[in-house]
């Protein structure tokens, strides 16, 4: 009986040691993961800045009055944007 | 006359055994705690009712052919119900505070000491005559210290199904008692000055981080601890549904209808384990006692870890948030916030405490995985 108890205590102790070491190691690796991978990702892919919807809506309204479809406006403004950014980079 | 005797013999009154009456009273007690005291009512109400149903003489709710028998074997014996609930919890969890301050993961890890220390306690209880806990039993009892209902039920159903009723009752009762158990320990281990510490505001967390986080956790679990993947996997699935933003319908279902339906059946199924022969013994008293010890040690080690980190780190850390490492989301975080406000009325610790709080959920799932891996087979 006593031997058996001692045996169980030793097992419980090993389990405690292994368990705590593992929990700390696992969550420690997770910290490293957050500090490296996630931190890099957040810099590379920042959340898009939310543009208020009212302005583009108004614009598209006025352009439809002028008989230009929103798709064309989008294409043109996209091209202008790209030109400007390339132009800016050249400078 | 014969038929009258037959009729009498088919009544509950003629067939009651003392144990059944006592267990029905326990069921009534759980209903009282749920309705009058608002203790974890979502689970304790169906659980209390299940306890009453299962102890009805003749009706045979928990025998083959009875409703509760099938609910138990379909959902709890297989581990399905706690896992579905864990998915819902994942869908409700925002890891933002944790990602913004990843150091708090260490607090969630430290608080798991409550689990492993209780293992010792459970084995030591074998000195008490009438109690005989194997290492499996002890592990299932110790997980109460994880303060996480579904994890405790999952592990108990795998390691010690015969103790499940008592373990579930202890786990949920103590989770409801977090606001009473924790504050004295927190105050005893911290100074007034430490409780006043204000923490730096958390940085904003981007969407991509929140999406990649559950995937990263899943991959790590796959690599290092596959035995925890049922729990962690379902948790991450729920969380990914929430954060991806493309399956709002699934996410809403997981955190509302699905978790609610499952909770009803989980409660009933656990209640069906509250039979006289399984519950009315010295071991139950031992389990209830050990549960309280596990909670207290978990709280204390979380606070002590936070104290140490405060001394070593350049950013101040209020030791109170360490107590939230025992999971019990979000109650433990609210308790940390409340105790903090008592010391400094302008100090809102809630968001800071959410970090260790959700870290505690991960920590106890990992601890459960370790116990399953080392003791389970």
């Amino acid at each position: 009986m006593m031997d058996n108890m001692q045996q169980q205590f030793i097992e419980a102790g090993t389990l405690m040691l292994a368990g705590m070491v593992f929990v700390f190691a696992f969550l420690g690796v997770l910290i490293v993961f957050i500090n490296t991978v996630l931190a890099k990702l957040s810099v590379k892919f920042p959340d898009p800045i939310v543009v208020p919807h009212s302005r583009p809506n108004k614009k598209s309204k006025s352009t439809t009055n002028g008989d230009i479809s929103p798709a064309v406006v989008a294409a043109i403004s996209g091209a202008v944007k790209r030109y400007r950014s390339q132009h800016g980079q050249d400078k | 006359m014969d038929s009258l005797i037959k009729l009498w013999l088919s009544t509950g009154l003629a067939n009651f055994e003392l144990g059944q009456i006592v267990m029905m009273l326990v069921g009534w007690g759980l209903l009282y705690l749920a309705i009058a005291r608002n203790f974890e009512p979502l689970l304790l109400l169906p659980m209390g009712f299940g306890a009453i149903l299962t102890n009805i003489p003749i009706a045979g709710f928990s025998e083959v052919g009875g409703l509760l028998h099938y609910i138990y074997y379909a959902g709890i014996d297989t581990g399905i119900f706690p896992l579905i609930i864990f998915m819902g919890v994942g869908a409700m969890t925002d890891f933002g505070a944790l990602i913004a301050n990843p150091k708090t993961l260490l607090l969630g890890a430290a608080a798991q000491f409550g689990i492993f220390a209780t293992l010792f306690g459970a084995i030591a209880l074998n000195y008490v005559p009438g109690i005989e806990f194997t290492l499996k039993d002890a592990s299932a009892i110790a997980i109460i210290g994880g303060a996480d209902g579904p994890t405790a039920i999952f592990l108990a159903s795998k390691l010690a199904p015969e103790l499940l009723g008592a373990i579930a009752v202890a786990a949920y009762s103590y989770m409801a008692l977090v606001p009473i158990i924790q504050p004295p320990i927190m105050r005893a281990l911290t100074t007034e000055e430490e409780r006043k510490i204000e923490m730096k505001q958390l940085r904003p967390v981007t969407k991509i981080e929140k999406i990649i986080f559950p995937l990263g956790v899943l991959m790590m679990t796959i690599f290092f601890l596959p035995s925890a993947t049922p729990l962690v996997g379902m948790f991450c699935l729920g969380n990914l549904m929430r954060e991806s933003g493309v399956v709002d319908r699934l996410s809403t279902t997981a955190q509302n209808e699905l978790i609610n339906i499952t909770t009803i059946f989980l409660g009933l199924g656990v209640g069906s384990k509250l039979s006289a022969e399984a519950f009315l013994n010295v071991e139950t008293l031992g389990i209830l006692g050990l549960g309280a010890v596990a909670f207290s040690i978990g709280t204390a080690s979380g606070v002590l870890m936070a104290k140490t980190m405060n001394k070593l780190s350049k950013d101040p850390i209020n030791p109170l948030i360490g107590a939230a490492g025992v999971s019990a989301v979000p109650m433990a975080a609210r308790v940390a916030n409340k105790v903090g406000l008592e010391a400094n009325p302008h100090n809102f610790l809630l968001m800071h405490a959410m970090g260790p709080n959700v870290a505690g959920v991960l920590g106890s799932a990992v601890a459960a995985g370790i116990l399953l891996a080392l003791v389970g087979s």
Side-chain angles (χ1 to χ4, degrees), chain B residues 47-81:
Chain B
M47 200 195 282
F49 212 89
I52 295 176
L53 291 181
T54 195
N55 285 292
I56 299 174
I58 307 178
F61 269 98
S62 298
E63 291 156 19
V64 178
L67 172 69
L68 297 184
H69 171 85
Y70 292 115
I71 290 180
Y72 178 82
Y73 280 96
I76 298 179
D77 189 47
T78 55
I80 292 175
F81 288 165

Side-chain angles (χ1 to χ4, degrees), chain B residues 292-307:
Chain B
V293 172
F295 249 74
S296 311
I297 297 182
T299 305
S301 38
V303 172
L304 292 176
M305 183 74 185
K307 267 173 88 111

Side-chain angles (χ1 to χ4, degrees), chain B residues 81-83 85-86 89 112 115 139-140 143-159 164 167 171-172 175 228 231-232 235 266 327 360-369 371-372:
Chain B
F81 288 165
L83 293 178
I85 294 211
F86 223 51
V89 175
Q112 306 314 317
I115 295 179
S139 309
I143 200 73
I144 298 173
D148 198 313
T151 307
I153 292 174
F154 180 75
L155 199 71
S157 70
K158 299 284 172 215
L159 294 181
L164 185 97
I167 289 175
Y172 280 96
M175 275 166 65
L231 282 166
V232 176
F235 190 79
L266 184 80
S327 52
V361 178
L362 282 180
S364 46
V366 170
L371 291 174
L372 263 183

Side-chain angles (χ1 to χ4, degrees), chain A residues 8 11 15 26 35 42 47, chain B residues 102 126 135 207 209 220 374:
Chain A
Q8 277 190 322
E11 277 183 64
L15 205 57
F26 190 92
N35 280 337
S42 69
D47 277 348
Chain B
N126 281 345
L135 206 56
K207 189 171 180 220
E209 287 176 281
M220 276 180 54
L374 297 182

